């Protein structure tokens, strides 16, 4: 038959064992001595063994009492640790958060935000899942990610969207290319240019395709690659030019490319997105607050990036 003892029984037993006194133990626990005595007697009844030898002058543990107290101390420590974790979770200071995001944002936008978050919440684990936009959307939809940092998904009843930045497009060219010294390049000028493009699952390529369509441009040839480094290397080799947005530029600088603004200006809206039907954990809510405080806090200026702060959004407040 299982022994039915509550945590309050164990706390009473351990306190009496520590103080060797019901009076001092009751004072520590903040209860009346008579109430403490009844709790210990009830524990002994349920255990079917005496735990203390009582006299008018002292209280001593029995052999069974010594064994029970040793176990009770461990149980209480585990309970208190667990309760501290629950309290921390509810306060947003413990737990974990998973963010699905685009590779360029993981490398440029996220680091200062993560630093700011970890200073305030060092015991919360932050997991970053960087993928192409379709995979980011799927991670958010399936619940694998708590939040997504990605291009604006458009109007959708299943998501709550907080726009946080816009990045405009540039043409990445070899330094010897004829456009390298231009102040701007028109999208229509790409009609005769070999194009280095991202794959169709990329958020960059979706925006580029829309801009080229609006300009009624069909590039001469298109070479596709899946990641930023490959696109940069291909453009640096002189195989073509690459339209890329502001958040991608820092990842391409290793290739020694020149970046020229494209006109008319086209931009992507970057947003923090969460699923409307999933509860917002305290850790996730705290993350969203930290994002606003750390936007643009990195000392490196991001070319072509404009931050959308809470007081610049319609209505003057954050979307939550």
């Amino acid at each position: 038959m299982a022994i039915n003892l509550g945590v309050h029984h164990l706390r009473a037993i351990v306190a009496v064992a520590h103080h060797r006194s019901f009076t001092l133990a009751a004072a520590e626990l903040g209860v009346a001595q008579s109430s403490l005595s009844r709790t210990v007697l009830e524990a002994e009844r349920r255990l079917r063994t005496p735990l203390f030898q009582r006299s008018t002058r002292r209280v001593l543990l029995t052999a069974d009492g010594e064994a029970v107290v040793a176990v009770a101390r461990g149980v209480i420590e585990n309970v208190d640790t667990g309760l501290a974790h629950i309290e921390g979770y509810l306060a947003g200071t413990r737990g974990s958060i998973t963010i699905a995001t685009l590779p360029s944002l993981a490398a440029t936008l996220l680091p200062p935000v993560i630093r700011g978050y970890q200073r305030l919440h060092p015991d919360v684990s932050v997991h970053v899942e960087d993928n192409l936009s379709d995979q980011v959307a799927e991670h958010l939809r399936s619940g694998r990610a708590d939040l997504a940092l990605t291009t604006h998904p458009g109007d959708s009843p299943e998501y709550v969207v907080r726009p946080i930045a816009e990045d405009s497009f540039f043409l990445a060219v070899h330094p010897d290319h004829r456009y390298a010294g231009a102040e701007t390049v028109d999208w229509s000028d790409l009609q005769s240019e070999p194009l280095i493009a991202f794959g169709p699952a990329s958020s960059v390529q979706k925006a580029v395709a829309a801009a080229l369509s609006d300009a009624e441009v069909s590039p001469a040839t298109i070479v596709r690659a899946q990641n930023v480094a490959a696109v940069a290397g291909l453009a640096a080799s002189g195989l073509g030019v690459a339209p890329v947005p502001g958040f991608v530029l820092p990842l391409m600088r290793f290739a020694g490319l020149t970046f020229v603004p494209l006109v008319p200006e086209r931009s992507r809206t970057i947003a923090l997105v969460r699923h409307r039907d999933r509860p917002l954990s305290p850790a996730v809510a705290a993350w969203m607050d930290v994002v606003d405080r750390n936007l643009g806090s990195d000392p490196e200026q991001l070319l072509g990036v404009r931050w959308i702060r809470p007081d610049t959004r319609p209505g003057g407040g954050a979307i939550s």
Side-chain angles (χ1 to χ4, degrees), residues 221-235:
T221 58
I222 297 180
V223 177
R224 296 193 184 278
Q226 293 300 323
N227 62 65
V228 175
V231 170
L234 290 168

Side-chain angles (χ1 to χ4, degrees), residues 1-307:
M1 183 176 179
I3 297 172
N4 184 20
L5 283 186
V7 175
H8 69 291
H9 292 111
L10 300 181
R11 291 192 191 281
I13 293 167
V14 168
V16 173
H18 175 71
H19 290 287
R20 297 292 198 269
S21 165
F22 278 84
T23 301
L24 295 177
E28 178 195 320
L29 297 174
V31 298
Q33 183 176 333
S34 58
S35 174
L36 178 64
S37 296
R38 286 194 298 271
T39 299
V40 173
L41 287 170
E42 177 64 17
E44 290 176 322
R45 184 186 68 78
R46 295 185 183 190
L47 291 170
R48 300 177 183 176
T49 186
L51 303 176
F52 299 99
Q53 294 177 357
R54 301 162 176 85
S55 71
T56 55
R57 289 182 296 178
R58 60 181 181 173
V59 177
L60 298 176
L61 279 166
T62 63
D64 288 340
E66 293 278 3
V68 170
V69 166
V71 174
R73 285 196 176 106
V75 171
I76 291 171
E77 182 178 351
N78 287 334
V79 168
D80 288 344
T81 299
L83 290 175
H85 276 276
I86 292 173
E87 182 180 11
Y89 173 82
L90 294 176
T93 59
R94 290 183 183 271
S96 66
I97 179 172
T98 299
I99 303 158
T101 189
L102 307 175
S104 59
L105 302 179
T108 56
L109 193 154
L110 271 184
V113 178
I114 292 175
R115 283 197 298 271
Y117 187 76
Q118 290 185 329
R119 280 195 296 268
L120 295 172
H121 308 287
D123 294 323
V124 177
S125 298
V126 179
H127 307 286
V128 177
E129 297 272 356
D130 59 308
N131 277 299
L132 298 177
S133 59
D134 289 352
Q135 294 168 301
V136 169
E138 177 55 32
H139 285 177
L140 183 63
R141 188 179 301 113
S142 67
R144 178 171 174 174
D146 299 296
L147 294 168
L149 187 61
T150 185
T151 51
H152 199 298
D155 295 330
S156 173
E158 62 181 326
Y159 296 128
V160 177
V161 181
R162 177 187 290 191
I164 61 173
E166 291 181 345
D167 61 342
S168 55
F169 277 79
F170 295 77
L171 192 65
V173 299
H174 188 280
D176 294 334
H177 193 280
R178 67 182 184 281
Y179 288 153
E183 290 187 7
T184 61
V185 176
D186 198 289
W187 286 95
S188 62
D189 293 334
L190 302 184
Q191 176 68 38
S192 59
E193 291 294 324
L195 200 69
I196 309 298
F198 289 87
S202 165
S203 65
V204 174
Q205 186 53 30
K206 292 172 184 175
V208 169
L212 293 176
S213 176
D214 289 347
E216 300 181 349
V217 168
S218 299
T221 58
I222 297 180
V223 177
R224 296 193 184 278
Q226 293 300 323
N227 62 65
V228 175
V231 170
L234 290 168
S237 71
L239 288 173
V241 298
V244 290
F247 277 117
V248 173
L249 303 189
L251 281 67
M252 301 181 75
R253 295 194 187 282
F254 75 93
L257 295 164
T258 298
F259 304 108
V260 185
L262 279 160
V263 293
E265 182 182 358
R266 300 292 292 245
S267 63
R268 304 180 303 170
T269 298
I270 305 301
L272 199 58
V273 186
R274 68 176 180 87
H275 202 286
R276 188 179 299 277
D277 296 334
R278 295 198 184 95
L280 189 64
S281 75
V284 173
W287 170 271
M288 297 176 78
D289 290 337
V290 170
V291 166
D292 283 331
R293 292 199 294 271
N294 287 272
L295 289 181
S297 62
D298 196 293
E300 180 182 354
Q301 181 65 35
L302 293 170
L303 194 63
V305 172
R306 182 178 69 85
W307 302 104

